[in-house]
């Protein structure tokens, strides 16, 4: 608990590193190792915010442990009122979210790497579910002859194919079968004839990989034009 007027710690548990034997301590000295309020050091001060708004408040701060290591904390502040409804103290508690922040940073970096690979690939790379495409890279638009993702996305694979495949089977039925196999097996590779927006048909190798996006199972499709391979 913190005095709302002078930032002195009234009492705290052992987890904070507070030692009553060291005398009066300011909250900013204990958590940040500084000699002035957080706001004067360019940080959002939960004590000042709660005192001003008279409402609970949450903010993320970097605190320092006893060894001087920086730790990310989610700080929660709650007002304590006197009989005249003035905020006299702040009940403050915080969670160490350093591991969460590290994981978030790693996920963001992995997403950045994936997006770089996704967009820089010369192969057509798409995301789809059992019904339609939901995303694609720029190579997809170039290979299939579409001008925008909005124009391409929403289509079923069979809409980018001739009515029938060289084997004589209906493209709609056969595409659905390949999708089902990929979802069941986790990965599925096959050859296929696709069709560009101008009607031009071309042979390709398709690799479908199943993955989870949020709580939804989707497929990543990689399509490679193998026209030259077939000609040779």
């Amino acid at each position: 608990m913190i005095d709302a007027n002078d930032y002195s710690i009234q009492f705290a548990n052992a987890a904070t590193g507070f030692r009553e034997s060291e005398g009066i301590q300011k909250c900013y000295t204990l958590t940040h190792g500084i000699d002035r309020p957080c706001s004067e050091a360019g940080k959002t001060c939960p004590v000042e915010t709660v005192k001003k708004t008279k409402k609970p408040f949450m903010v993320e701060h970097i605190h320092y442990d006893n060894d001087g290591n920086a730790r990310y904390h989610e700080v929660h502040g709650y007002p304590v009122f006197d009989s005249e409804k003035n905020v006299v103290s702040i009940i403050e508690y915080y969670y160490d979210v350093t591991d969460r922040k590290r994981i978030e940073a790693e996920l963001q970096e992995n997403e950045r790497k994936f997006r770089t690979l996704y967009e820089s690939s010369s192969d057509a790379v798409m995301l789809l579910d059992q019904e339609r495409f939901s995303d694609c890279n720029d190579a997809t638009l170039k290979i299939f002859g579409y001008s925008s993702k909005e124009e391409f996305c929403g289509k079923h694979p069979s809409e980018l194919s001739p009515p029938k495949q060289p084997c004589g089977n209906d493209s709609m039925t056969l595409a659905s079968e390949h999708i089902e196999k990929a979802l069941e097996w986790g990965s599925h590779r096959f050859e296929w004839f696709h069709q560009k927006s101008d009607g031009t048909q071309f042979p390709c190798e398709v690799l479908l990989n199943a993955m989870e996006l949020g709580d939804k199972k989707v497929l990543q499709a990689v399509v490679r034009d193998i026209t030259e391979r077939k000609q040779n």
Side-chain angles (χ1 to χ4, degrees):
M1 183 176 286
I2 301 168
D3 189 303
N5 294 309
D6 66 4
Y7 306 93
S8 61
I9 300 171
Q10 297 172 318
F11 60 83
N13 65 8
T16 63
F18 174 71
R19 296 182 179 87
E20 192 171 354
S21 61
E22 296 181 0
I24 297 175
Q25 284 185 269
K26 306 293 187 178
C27 58
Y28 47 79
T29 301
L30 177 67
T31 57
H32 296 287
I34 57 179
D35 59 1
R36 60 194 186 282
C38 299
S39 58
E40 295 181 22
K43 306 176 188 297
T44 301
C45 176
V47 174
E48 292 180 2
T49 303
V50 172
K51 184 178 179 180
K52 180 179 180 180
T53 64
K54 298 184 178 182
K55 295 180 180 179
F57 181 69
M58 188 277 288
V59 66
E60 284 190 359
H61 271 187
I62 296 178
H63 290 173
Y64 293 88
D65 61 22
N66 292 331
D67 296 321
N69 299 311
R71 307 289 297 181
Y72 286 93
H73 285 90
E74 186 177 277
V75 183
H76 296 256
Y78 292 85
V80 177
F81 301 95
D82 62 13
S83 59
E84 297 180 355
K85 300 298 182 182
N86 297 309
V87 178
V88 293
S89 298
I90 309 295
I91 296 174
E92 189 174 283
Y93 68 89
Y94 44 86
Y95 298 110
D96 188 328
V97 294
T98 304
D99 290 340
R100 188 190 75 191
K101 298 290 286 187
R102 176 182 54 78
I103 292 171
E104 288 174 353
E106 290 175 353
L107 289 173
Q108 290 174 358
E109 177 63 14
N110 288 337
E111 181 179 355
R112 185 192 66 78
K113 290 178 180 178
F114 172 78
R115 178 59 61 176
T116 299
L117 291 171
Y118 183 74
E119 293 297 348
S120 63
S121 175
S122 59
D123 292 328
V125 184
M126 300 151 278
L127 293 180
L128 71 152
D129 55 22
Q130 290 177 288
E131 300 296 330
R132 60 186 63 87
F133 293 107
S134 59
D135 194 13
C136 68
N137 64 355
D138 290 341
T140 300
L141 303 178
K142 182 178 180 180
I143 289 172
F144 284 92
Y146 288 90
S147 58
S148 68
K149 291 185 179 182
E150 290 74 20
E151 186 181 7
F152 179 86
C153 294
K155 297 184 183 297
H156 186 273
S158 62
E159 297 180 69
L160 305 172
S161 311
K164 292 184 180 296
Q165 290 297 302
C167 63
N169 291 336
D170 174 73
S171 288
M172 169 70 84
T173 303
L174 199 55
S176 296
E177 290 177 2
H178 284 306
I179 289 173
E180 289 294 335
K181 287 179 180 178
L183 290 171
E184 181 182 354
W185 299 344
S187 183
H188 180 45
R189 188 188 299 271
F190 57 95
E191 290 191 1
W192 189 260
F193 261 79
H194 266 303
Q195 184 170 289
K196 300 183 180 184
S197 61
D198 64 2
T200 303
Q201 298 178 21
F202 64 98
C204 57
E205 182 179 77
V206 179
L207 174 62
L208 299 179
N209 288 309
M211 60 176 65
E212 298 281 345
L213 277 183
D215 58 354
K216 186 178 181 181
K217 198 166 188 177
V218 299
L219 292 172
Q220 181 195 63
V222 180
V223 174
R224 176 168 294 177
D225 188 332
I226 57 173
T227 301
E228 292 186 7
R229 185 198 305 175
K230 290 293 186 180
Q231 291 174 344
N232 295 332

